[in-house]
Amino acid sequence: MKRIRKILLFGALTALIGGIGIGATKNDFGLGRNMEILIRMMRELSVHYVDEVDPDKLMEDAAAGMVRRLDPYTTYLPEEEMSDFDVMTTGKYGGVGSLIRQKEEYVIFAQPYKGSPADRAGIKIGDKILAIDGEEAKGWSNAEVSSRLKGDPNTTVRIRIRRLIDDREEELTLKRERIAIPGVPYAGWVAEGIGYIQHSDFTEGCYDEMRAAIGRLQAEGELNGLILDYRSNGGGILQEAVRIVGLFVPKGTEVVRTKGRGEEKIFRTEQEPLLPDLPLVVLINGSSASSAEIVAGALQDLDRATLVGQKSFGKGLVQTTRPLGYNAYLKLTTGKYYIPSGRCIQAIDYSTHDKSSGREVADSLKRAFKTAGGRTVYDGGGITPDIPLTPQYISRFALTLYSLGFIEDFVDEYMKRHAADMHPFDVDHFTITAQDYDDFRAFIQDKEVPYESASRRMLKAMKEAAGEDNFTELKEQITLMEENLKDDTKTLLETYREEIIETINSDIILRHAYSEGVTRHNLHSDQEVKRAVEAFKDL
């Protein structure tokens, strides 16, 4: 089959080269010449290389080489990667509806989605997958288990699991469904009359989710202001962004225009606004990108919202997918987008055609633009919020504990001990006790935590430099500083106590109230949300 595909591919390329004839430009001749070279090279490698080579792999490598010097968003998507791409753009797939993760020799359920087949079957975080459709799953990878659990909607999969709480084995038959990962996972209240909506990505249908979330808030109480949270939203479908802006601005308003090689498109709102006058505050950070920046930037340019947080990522490039045949696609950058003031917020200049050395736009080259109300805004480096805030980071030590699975392993044990005494569960005010944290410290005591503080790394580098320069006295002083530096695991567990406790709390809340419960709980201590609430006083 692969040989047939290779012959068809060679034939198609040859036919394309043959079609470049009279009236062709210099670039066309260059294209034909290089395609012929590529075909001959692939043929020689396929026929004469010392070992047998896979023509599909050759094609993938050649495609990767073609885009290597372009921007990082232009990529080749072979057939086997298209399912992942579809999930990324639509937020939908066929399966049982749960995240999974590797734990020792087995794969476990890491997060069943609320209302999914896995959730309705009573599957909980930590339940171990022993077998799928009669085949023992010991030693299987995440990818192997995922491929067995996914499938066409209305088909079934039989799994044998071991329950985390009581070690009981159970056989389940789950019917796969079309799983929709919500682009708007949470909506609630953060103050009297102030609604909050978390928007995590711009997958297909997120406009409808946003409109429904607003409707729920309006049904629950009087909505006097709305916070839209676009922090860490990496973007997605541009048209969804245009429709969402249309909820808040007059019909026919220009939201964004895209400019490519000889082509320009203008995107305007097409519906009457749902909330034309409601005060808005938008949260952004350094990971807000693409369509998230279109919404935030357009609302800022139109003087329709106050932006709070940190400067956004700065992705002002538009991607389009083009079919290549045989279910393969090319995702390529076809233009830049410009928001209502006329500015493009692309932060990196890839015009050198070397994505590894893309240049940030120099401050001296950034241009000033005016919002609808006459305020000055700038292009060339993301969107600067109206109320800038210093970002809050979780310590690398806490992240290390989480990434190594120590926190999840501790919570597994915690859930076993407390399975019978956590009902009802208070999402808003839950926290582990001081004794629980002492138990966690004891749990970590015999674990190896491969963590080195930034301070110790810097002292090591200084000590090495002092040795190379023969600064003996300085080297001795640095050695003394190293001895006095308290960055052992026991000390760090106390230094970062509060954020480790909150990380443990979040994992426990996730198991009782899903991801929306974690969001609701964390809103109470979110300083950026609190500042966003305060911003309504000035509107």
Side-chain angles (χ1 to χ4, degrees):
M1 181 62 187
K2 285 185 177 180
R3 181 170 180 81
I4 293 173
R5 286 180 60 182
K6 179 176 68 173
I7 293 171
L8 289 172
L9 176 63
F10 286 165
L13 290 174
T14 304
L16 178 59
I17 294 169
I20 300 174
I22 299 174
T25 66
K26 179 180 179 182
N27 282 343
D28 290 331
F29 283 115
L31 176 64
R33 180 187 68 244
N34 290 321
M35 288 176 69
E36 187 172 352
I37 292 172
L38 176 62
I39 291 171
R40 289 176 177 174
M41 185 174 178
M42 290 181 68
R43 183 185 295 119
E44 293 298 322
L45 289 170
S46 296
V47 175
H48 297 297
Y49 186 70
V50 62
D51 298 315
E52 185 175 352
V53 295
D54 183 343
D56 289 339
K57 182 61 178 173
L58 282 180
M59 183 61 207
E60 287 181 28
D61 291 342
M66 285 186 216
V67 301
R68 182 174 61 85
R69 294 186 180 276
L70 306 178
D71 64 85
Y73 313 109
T74 297
T75 58
Y76 170 63
L77 299 171
E79 180 179 8
E80 56 269 22
E81 293 181 16
M82 284 307 298
S83 60
D84 292 336
F85 180 73
D86 289 341
V87 172
M88 186 171 62
T89 54
T90 68
K92 300 178 177 68
Y93 68 96
V96 301
S98 178
L99 297 179
I100 56 175
R101 75 176 177 92
Q102 195 88 35
K103 186 174 182 181
E104 298 169 349
E105 294 183 296
Y106 288 92
V107 172
I108 66 171
F109 287 100
Q111 186 184 335
Y113 300 135
K114 185 177 181 179
S116 68
D119 183 43
R120 295 198 305 271
I123 290 172
K124 303 296 183 184
I125 294 175
D127 288 350
K128 185 180 297 183
I129 301 171
L130 302 178
I132 300 179
D133 288 330
E135 292 188 54
E136 295 297 319
K138 183 177 182 180
W140 287 9
S141 66
N142 265 5
E144 288 174 301
V145 172
S146 177
S147 67
R148 298 296 187 97
L149 294 179
K150 288 180 179 178
D152 294 333
N154 297 319
T155 59
T156 60
V157 58
R158 183 164 46 90
I159 61 174
R160 190 171 83 251
I161 64 172
R162 177 174 290 126
R163 296 290 187 180
L164 169 70
I165 300 301
D166 56 13
D167 284 331
R168 176 171 48 90
E169 290 192 16
E170 188 173 351
E171 190 99 11
L172 299 170
T173 298
L174 306 181
K175 179 181 285 189
R176 298 183 180 96
E177 294 178 359
R178 187 72 163 164
I179 305 299
I181 303 170
V184 180
Y186 180 80
W189 301 89
V190 291
E192 185 68 31
I194 305 299
Y196 165 92
I197 296 178
Q198 181 187 49
H199 189 177
S200 57
D201 56 43
F202 284 83
T203 48
E204 186 179 277
C206 67
Y207 160 78
D208 295 321
E209 294 181 46
M210 176 68 74
R211 192 178 182 101
I214 292 171
R216 288 196 301 273
L217 291 175
Q218 290 177 316
E220 292 171 3
E222 185 177 358
L223 189 60
N224 299 318
L226 182 61
I227 297 172
L228 301 176
D229 191 346
Y230 284 98
R231 291 175 297 180
S232 300
N233 183 318
I237 301 172
L238 180 148
Q239 289 81 355
E240 296 286 334
V242 175
R243 297 182 74 195
I244 286 173
V245 174
L247 292 167
F248 311 109
V249 301
K251 181 179 179 180
T253 300
E254 180 178 329
V255 175
V256 63
R257 64 177 63 199
T258 62
K259 298 179 183 179
R261 291 171 63 178
E263 183 180 36
E264 180 174 335
K265 293 182 180 179
I266 299 176
F267 295 85
R268 301 180 185 274
T269 59
E270 297 181 351
Q271 76 273 13
E272 295 295 336
L274 180 64
L275 300 170
D277 303 309
L278 185 75
L280 299 174
V281 173
V282 176
L283 286 167
I284 59 172
N285 65 8
S287 297
S288 304
S290 186
S291 293
E293 293 176 293
I294 290 175
V295 172
L299 292 174
Q300 184 183 55
D301 280 359
L302 297 168
D303 289 306
R304 186 61 189 84
T306 297
L307 272 56
V308 175
Q310 298 86 44
K311 181 180 288 189
S312 65
F313 182 81
K315 181 179 180 293
L317 304 177
V318 181
Q319 279 73 50
T320 305
T321 54
R322 305 282 192 187
L324 300 176
Y326 303 101
N327 295 320
Y329 285 79
L330 173 66
K331 179 167 72 75
L332 72 161
T333 298
T334 53
K336 296 181 180 180
Y337 70 73
Y338 299 79
I339 48 182
S341 65
R343 57 180 169 148
C344 178
I345 52 80
Q346 174 63 24
I348 304 293
D349 176 14
Y350 293 108
S351 60
T352 59
H353 298 304
D354 186 353
K355 62 185 177 186
S356 64
S357 62
R359 306 184 304 270
E360 289 195 12
V361 179
D363 289 341
S364 60
L365 298 178
K366 293 178 181 178
R367 298 176 297 165
F369 295 81
K370 295 294 183 181
T371 68
R375 295 184 300 122
T376 300
V377 290
Y378 295 90
D379 70 353
I383 297 168
T384 300
D386 303 299
I387 302 176
L389 301 177
T390 301
Q392 295 178 298
Y393 297 108
I394 188 171
S395 69
R396 285 195 308 108
F397 180 70
L399 286 174
T400 299
L401 294 179
Y402 187 82
S403 64
L404 291 173
F406 293 152
I407 287 178
E408 289 177 316
D409 291 345
F410 171 76
V411 173
D412 283 348
E413 298 303 316
Y414 179 94
M415 294 297 293
K416 291 179 182 179
R417 293 196 305 270
H418 295 275
D421 60 2
M422 298 189 70
H423 302 284
F425 187 78
D426 187 351
V427 170
D428 294 296
H429 305 105
F430 172 80
T431 185
I432 61 172
T433 66
Q435 180 58 55
D436 292 329
Y437 193 67
D438 287 342
D439 292 343
F440 177 70
R441 290 193 295 189
F443 177 81
I444 290 293
Q445 189 172 4
D446 62 344
K447 305 290 191 298
E448 183 179 349
V449 182
Y451 173 83
E452 186 176 56
S453 68
S455 300
R456 187 168 295 279
R457 289 204 310 273
M458 184 173 292
L459 287 176
K460 275 186 175 181
M462 290 174 61
K463 186 175 180 179
E464 184 177 339
E468 292 174 354
D469 293 333
N470 291 321
F471 293 158
T472 305
E473 185 177 346
L474 176 59
K475 186 176 179 180
E476 292 173 353
Q477 291 175 347
I478 295 172
T479 299
L480 183 61
M481 292 172 67
E482 287 179 322
E483 293 171 354
N484 291 329
L485 179 62
K486 302 296 184 183
D487 65 347
D488 58 284
T489 297
K490 183 178 179 180
T491 302
L492 292 175
L493 283 170
E494 192 58 38
T495 301
Y496 299 113
R497 179 188 182 102
E498 292 306 316
E499 55 185 80
I500 294 172
I501 286 175
E502 276 308 308
T503 306
I504 295 172
N505 286 343
S506 292
D507 200 273
I508 294 171
I509 292 168
L510 179 67
R511 298 171 189 235
H512 286 274
Y514 308 94
S515 59
E516 63 190 58
V518 177
T519 299
R520 175 176 154 185
H521 175 85
N522 290 340
L523 285 175
H524 294 290
S525 58
D526 192 322
Q527 297 303 312
E528 293 182 353
V529 170
K530 291 181 179 179
R531 183 64 184 88
V533 172
E534 293 175 5
F536 284 102
K537 298 175 183 177
D538 300 324
L539 298 181

